[in-house]
Amino acid sequence: MKILNGAALAKKIKSVLAIEIEYLMKKNGRAPKLCIVLVGDDPASASYVKSKQKSCNEIGILCDLNILPYSTSQKELLTLIETLNNDPDVDGILVQLPLPKHIDQNAILHTIDYKKDVDGLHPMNVGLLNQSDDAIIPCTPKGILSLLRAEDIPITGKHCVVIGRSNLVGKPMAQLMLRENASVTVCHSKTRDLPYLTRQGEILIIAIGHPNLVNADMLKEGAVVVDVGINNVDGKLVGDIYNSIDLTNIEKKAAAITPVPGGVGPMTIASLMENVVEIYKRRVISD
Ligand code: NAP
């Protein structure tokens, strides 16, 4: 079974971007700039934001971090988003999710200028992705596609089964695979006979957030397995399937798998960096 090394590819993507950013800076007189907004002190969110900031610093993207207290009101957050929307020096805006319960997440995501929406979650970008147009594509699905392409994994005509239908991962992933000419099945918590469907997946993408739900018996022989899940089990980082109790049997059955850590996670960050640079280039051209 082949391990699909997302960490190595992400490193390569970021080093190519660093060279491009240096060139763009000389040409346009400014570096791309990402603004991250973090509300509250959730440790997981803080750690994700830290990795995003670190990657920006490594490759020459300016990164402004706005940390707001948990008590921030929706109105205050909307005012900040409007300020960032109107700031000509800001290319990308990222609001770290989840937001505190008293804030309507959609109201915030819908207020971000869709042209600065690095996460691709604004309805305009969702619609553009559905129309196979030049959408800003959500970072995790984009990173998964880049990894499959870099590994020369054929997608056209394949049956791709996606478990999970979140706006962040499952839905845009399914849409992207459809755009790549796969036949796509999307499964979720109300799916009847999940194993029957997963056994048909030549490419199986798992984005559930529950380890050990999918075992070797649920895989098609020779499947390419993409594990999006990030779970903390007894202080250890595990995927939805990678490092699960059935890993030995999974290794015998799957043709390839993304590890956790070192698979989808770093590709998500590399894709975020790509999105910031892409938005910067679009904005510089339209100036
Ligand atoms: P989410 O919003 O909680 O969505 C989980 C999805 O899994 C839902 O669609 C849910 O179905 C489905 N599901 C839950 N239990 C199921 C079951 N027993 N059978 C079938 N489907 C089931 O989570 P998410 O944001 O998509 O993230 C999923 C996982 O990926 C999490 O572990 C998250 O931490 C990880 N993640 C990793 C990265 C990365 O960069 N590596 C990025 C994003 C997310 P319903 O819709 O019916 O509830």
Side-chain angles (χ1 to χ4, degrees):
M1 188 191 65
K2 184 171 188 189
I3 297 290
L4 304 175
N5 191 338
L9 179 60
K11 200 171 165 195
K12 208 161 125 188
I13 290 172
K14 287 196 288 181
S15 59
V16 172
L17 279 177
I19 296 167
E20 188 180 7
I21 290 168
E22 203 181 340
Y23 162 80
L24 289 169
M25 244 187 89
K26 280 187 193 138
K27 189 173 165 217
N28 303 311
R30 71 169 187 91
K33 182 169 174 180
L34 171 67
C35 273
I36 302 180
V37 180
L38 174 63
V39 186
D41 54 7
D42 174 60
S45 293
S47 138
Y48 295 143
V49 163
K50 209 170 158 194
S51 338
K52 291 168 187 176
Q53 242 188 329
K54 184 168 167 266
S55 283
C56 285
N57 293 338
E58 277 166 12
I59 68 171
I61 291 176
L62 300 173
C63 184
D64 260 12
L65 175 58
N66 297 269
I67 303 179
L68 306 177
Y70 187 88
S71 58
T72 302
S73 69
Q74 180 164 318
K75 198 167 168 228
E76 286 167 325
L77 186 53
L78 286 170
T79 305
L80 172 62
I81 302 292
E82 292 291 4
T83 307
L84 299 176
N85 282 346
N86 294 326
D87 185 338
D89 291 334
V90 172
D91 296 295
I93 303 170
L94 186 159
V95 176
Q96 185 65 41
L97 302 178
L99 287 168
K101 289 209 166 41
H102 62 273
I103 297 177
D104 176 354
Q105 188 166 295
N106 280 344
I108 303 302
L109 295 178
H110 296 188
T111 302
I112 296 173
D113 178 350
Y114 80 92
K115 292 182 180 163
K116 294 186 174 188
D117 167 34
V118 274
D119 266 340
L121 296 175
H122 187 284
M124 187 71 180
N125 284 313
V126 176
L128 287 170
L129 177 60
N130 290 0
Q131 291 179 349
S132 303
D133 219 323
D134 58 350
I136 298 162
I137 300 170
C139 305
T140 301
K142 179 175 172 151
I144 291 170
L145 180 60
S146 299
L147 185 56
L148 295 176
R149 280 187 179 147
E151 295 283 350
D152 287 327
I153 289 165
I155 301 175
T156 295
K158 298 287 177 189
H159 188 176
C160 174
V161 175
V162 180
I163 320 179
R165 57 172 167 180
S166 68
N167 292 336
L168 191 66
V169 187
K171 281 187 207 151
M173 190 73 244
Q175 204 52 249
L176 207 51
M177 295 307 271
L178 195 59
R179 201 179 81 171
E180 294 298 308
N181 298 314
S183 299
V184 182
T185 299
V186 182
C187 304
H188 46 79
S189 68
K190 307 288 185 292
T191 296
R192 271 186 287 163
D193 204 351
L194 184 66
Y196 169 76
L197 293 170
T198 55
R199 277 186 211 117
Q200 296 175 38
E202 293 170 287
I203 300 172
L204 179 64
I205 301 174
I206 311 169
I208 318 172
H210 294 298
N212 302 319
L213 191 88
V214 181
N215 57 30
D217 189 43
M218 293 167 72
L219 300 187
K220 186 178 177 66
E221 191 78 47
V224 172
V225 180
V226 176
D227 189 350
V228 184
I230 301 176
N231 307 289
N232 187 327
V233 176
D234 301 331
K236 193 178 165 201
L237 185 67
V238 300
D240 281 344
I241 185 165
Y242 195 81
N243 274 336
S244 70
I245 45 180
D246 206 22
L247 186 62
T248 314
N249 294 322
I250 289 162
E251 281 173 341
K252 285 183 197 147
K253 209 162 178 191
I257 194 166
T258 59
V260 178
V264 175
M267 287 305 298
T268 297
I269 301 223
S271 299
L272 170 66
M273 301 298 113
E274 286 182 321
N275 278 354
V276 178
V277 174
E278 174 60 32
I279 291 173
Y280 165 94
K281 288 197 281 190
R282 290 185 195 182
R283 294 186 72 242
V284 165
I285 289 167
S286 70
D287 273 353

